[in-house]
Amino acid sequence: MKRVGTPLFIAALVGIALLVGIVAGGQVDPIRDAVDDVFGNPTQDATAQAIDVIHDDYFHTVDNADLENASVGAIISHIKRRYHDRFSHYFTPSEYDRFQQGSRLSGVGIAVTEVPQGLRVATVYKSTPAREAGIQPGELITGVNGHSIAGKDADSVTNEIRGPAGTQVTLTIQSTDGKSREVTVTRREVEIPQVTGHLEEVDGKKLGYVRLAGFFPGAHGELRTEVERLYREGAEGLVLDLRGNGGGLLTEAILVSSIFVPDGTIVSTHGRTQNTRTFEANGDPLPRHPTVVLINGDTASASEIVTAALEQSGIATVVGTTSFGKGTFQEVIPLNNGAALDLTVGEYLTRDGSSINGTGIPPQVKAKDNPDTKPDEGREQALQVLSQKL
């Protein structure tokens, strides 16, 4: 898929080193055998050797699987810190099993973005358990069923939140003022509208407004159908709302971009072991209309590819706040113990060849919704910008 010396130990080591030095000119096999008996074969993998030693000599009985999970988890944590990679993760066997079951589980009706503390709530959908429980966009989920989720993979955690319909999950929610609360939510089947749209009238002009929730299979077809409907009904331009859209399939990002961009590069990808690939616009673009793309800090990945493609081709003006800045892609690689690595294997460059990793896309016009007020200030500003383009 393309998602543990002590002074006693030191003294013993020095003593053996001296003994080895004394007999260095003669037969050393007996001494080497003795060293191997104490410290293991020096050619053996150090991690495997340490696990063997702990298994044989530690004063508590330790499960080998626990040691393997801890070892691999520590390796991934190290490379994430060393290379400033926020998105590589280790799935234990149970986490990987749950990850694979994710599509068969019910949810609570939220879209989230991975952050160091856990998950930031990007969108809370209408008529869902999360909306009924009072969970708000911008709040942080820092725990699931009493366990911290800081640093965990977003896909793994969302599959912990999901589960059989009718069962409950308890979320630790941190509000925007820093206060925490426990919220118990009953899971149920929820229908998440992936594409929604309607006409708005601003200064006597008919404007189209479309929100795309994710880059799921078939997203480009649903989006195109909705945009065509709005144009038939008289829309003179379009606001494409990608706020809270955390991305999805690369292929869908290319196809969605191709609805608007007639030709040229959409995105390129490359990695140390990945062939560099350039993806061009394809298909039959719609007739050009004035367009605005509305983004925020939870606009990520595939959404950023589309935003950059439309802005850098001159198709759209970008309104909102700086996007998330996810410029890498991951591959889920199963391991022999039933676990898996969700490993960053490459990065992508936008249409003009630039990287947005860690920086995001800044808006050309700043606009931000205040969740404490009824009007959506971000959308209102985007519509005003669009109206002025006509």
Side-chain angles (χ1 to χ4, degrees), residues 1 37 62 68 81 121 134 137 150 175 225 257 270 308 320-321 325 386:
M1 281 177 284
D37 285 342
V62 180
E68 286 186 359
R81 291 191 302 270
V121 179
S175 61
T225 297
S257 299
H270 68 95
T321 59
L386 179 61

Side-chain angles (χ1 to χ4, degrees), residues 109-163:
I110 56 176
V112 296
T113 301
E114 183 179 333
V115 293
Q117 305 96 311
L119 301 176
R120 183 171 62 233
V121 179
T123 305
V124 182
Y125 296 101
K126 295 180 180 179
S127 303
T128 62
R131 175 70 68 94
E132 294 159 8
I135 298 173
Q136 299 291 324
E139 293 186 318
L140 299 178
I141 302 174
T142 60
V144 178
N145 291 328
H147 300 289
S148 171
I149 61 170
K152 288 191 173 183
D153 175 75
D155 289 327
S156 176
V157 175
T158 54
N159 285 320
E160 288 183 44
I161 297 173
R162 302 170 74 185

Side-chain angles (χ1 to χ4, degrees), residues 90-240:
Y90 173 59
F91 292 161
T92 65
S94 60
E95 290 171 339
Y96 185 46
D97 182 62
R98 195 165 184 85
F99 171 78
Q100 293 176 298
Q101 295 178 29
S103 62
R104 303 194 297 272
L105 302 176
S106 297
V108 299
I110 56 176
V112 296
T113 301
E114 183 179 333
V115 293
Q117 305 96 311
L119 301 176
R120 183 171 62 233
V121 179
T123 305
V124 182
Y125 296 101
K126 295 180 180 179
S127 303
T128 62
R131 175 70 68 94
E132 294 159 8
I135 298 173
Q136 299 291 324
E139 293 186 318
L140 299 178
I141 302 174
T142 60
V144 178
N145 291 328
H147 300 289
S148 171
I149 61 170
K152 288 191 173 183
D153 175 75
D155 289 327
S156 176
V157 175
T158 54
N159 285 320
E160 288 183 44
I161 297 173
R162 302 170 74 185
T167 60
Q168 293 185 327
V169 60
T170 299
L171 307 177
T172 304
I173 305 293
Q174 181 178 309
S175 61
T176 53
D177 62 7
K179 295 180 180 179
S180 292
R181 67 188 189 278
E182 300 288 317
V183 178
T184 299
V185 184
T186 301
R187 305 173 176 108
R188 68 170 184 255
E189 296 290 339
V190 292
E191 291 292 332
I192 304 299
Q194 300 294 342
V195 178
T196 56
H198 60 269
L199 286 174
E200 295 265 3
E201 188 167 321
V202 177
D203 299 328
K205 304 165 187 172
K206 283 187 176 182
L207 308 179
Y209 169 87
V210 174
R211 186 160 193 162
L212 177 63
F215 290 80
F216 53 93
H220 70 285
E222 290 190 32
L223 178 64
R224 184 181 183 111
T225 297
E226 185 63 19
V227 173
E228 288 177 331
R229 179 185 71 83
L230 293 173
Y231 287 157
R232 286 197 306 271
E233 294 179 3
E236 301 175 58
L238 182 75
V239 171
L240 176 60

Side-chain angles (χ1 to χ4, degrees), residues 356-378:
I356 61 165
N357 196 43
T359 60
I361 300 170
Q364 294 164 287
V365 179
K366 292 183 179 180
K368 186 177 181 179
D369 177 45
N370 181 353
D372 296 328
T373 61
K374 188 173 182 179
D376 183 339
E377 291 88 352

Side-chain angles (χ1 to χ4, degrees), residues 239-250:
V239 171
L240 176 60
D241 192 344
L242 297 178
R243 293 175 300 174
N245 186 324
L249 298 175
L250 174 64

